[in-house]
Amino acid sequence: MRDGKLARQLRAVRDPNPPLDLADRLEKTIPGSFRQRERMAGRMFTMAKIGATAAAVMAFVWGALAFLSGPTGPGVSVAAMLDQVARASGSAPAVHIVMRVLSRQGEDFSFVDLGGEPQTFEAWIEMPGAGDGMSSVEVTHGRARVTKGDRVRACDGRETIAWFPSWGEAIRSEGCAVEVETFWPAAWVRQLMAAATVAGAEVHGPVEERGTARLILREPGVGVSGRAKAFLQEFNRETELTWTLGNNRLTGLRRWVLEGGRHLVAETVTIEYLDAADDAMFRLDLPADVRWVTLREAPEALAELGPRDVARRFFEAAIAGDRDTLGVLGASPHFVESVLGMGFKAVVSIGEPFRTGLYPGVYVPYEVRARQGDAARTVKYNLALRDDNPQHRWVFDGGI
């Protein structure tokens, strides 16, 4: 899709609440897979708590950018100017963000589908105490509600609920990690400041015109191997930030992927800075028949398996129609039925697990035979498994 066409689509969008439609798979089937640091992972949601390390990083960032000067007057560095933008953008207690992103249903918020259709992401983020003089990286609490087509995720400050209306399932987890990286404007600025210090990064601007300023950062992606690039951080990319010179608040963000051309993959539609957010926004009124999904206790024979053996047992259970084992290995009831409907008949091979990119788990290559009706086929892909759950065992996270 060409940049101009997508840009026109993005700018034409005004409805922040598209109808919920059926996704191809359940993204997060267990509480442990909610990015408890992205997360509630490294990747909603990148619901991330940014810890003490970030403070040290910012000290380094300041020094690295101190020599970059822009059209802000003698002695004013780009770092100082961006710090003002971050503080001003973070001074509002709450924000309402609407974005259009090239992504895919059933995937994480950082997933990029260059051939996909623009989807609406919408978020309400409240950060009490994130006022002047306090950077977003210092905020450790807040409330959030984020929607994307087939899912809603809401944190009321005590717990987080992920709801998948299309198949009537929900997941509850204690605590709350606000979607800082993806939807908090001050965090976008801080990220740009940190990324500007990475080898290979290029800062262009700022350029000031008619009361606004614009700055562009080009940065290299995180290397991946064993699979195709799929998440924003893995691509070479370009980010544009714009802000108002009068109050220094961010007014826009656009992201391009620089792979085989220049593809506009994300753009803000609106950014609203709010004095407060409605309490009801962070509570979900779920239907009485919603099915609550939790990570089930596993027998010792399954709990002690390594990722390669878990992958093998997963497909063996799918072939045997063993719903119980599939559930114990992390598939939700909805996804159990989806797997059983894929017609898996025989395991050809299970490869060696590998780690790549920013994914916190592992990928296990597999090849299985399947049949649907009279049609036989061979399926080759990578099963995603992770062990950052309360039971610290390997469970299914996608890849079918």
Side-chain angles (χ1 to χ4, degrees), residues 87-98 122-132 143-145 183-186 247 249-250 270-282:
R87 289 172 180 271
S89 301
S91 64
V95 295
H96 174 213
I97 303 289
V98 178
E122 184 171 19
W124 290 263
I125 308 291
E126 184 180 67
M127 293 272 203
D132 291 319
R143 300 188 295 178
R145 179 189 179 112
F183 294 109
W184 188 246
N247 60 18
R249 278 186 172 173
L250 207 67
T270 58
I271 301 177
E272 296 179 83
Y273 295 94
L274 308 174
D275 293 332
D278 185 352
D279 290 345
M281 184 60 63
F282 307 111

Side-chain angles (χ1 to χ4, degrees), residues 28-48:
K28 300 287 179 280
T29 61
I30 57 172
S33 70
F34 284 171
R35 308 183 181 263
Q36 297 295 341
R37 22 184 160 124
E38 192 173 14
R39 272 149 42 162
M40 245 172 70
R43 253 167 301 341
M44 184 156 257
F45 270 28
T46 273
M47 271 198 169

Side-chain angles (χ1 to χ4, degrees), residues 5 20 23 33 40 104 106 114 128 160 165 179 184 188 196 204 212 236 261 286-287 299 335 347-348 367 372 379 384:
K5 181 179 178 182
L20 296 169
S33 70
M40 245 172 70
R104 182 189 301 168
L114 297 182
T160 300
E179 186 67 5
W184 188 246
W188 295 340
H204 298 266
T212 65
N236 295 332
L286 303 183
F335 206 76
V347 175
V348 177
E367 181 176 353
Q372 291 181 329
V379 181

Side-chain angles (χ1 to χ4, degrees), residues 7-20:
R8 288 193 297 273
Q9 288 179 310
L10 294 172
R11 294 189 182 100
V13 172
R14 289 297 180 270
D15 180 10
N17 291 306
L20 296 169

Side-chain angles (χ1 to χ4, degrees), residues 62-76:
W62 186 274
L65 292 182
F67 298 102
L68 298 175
S69 61
T72 54
V76 179

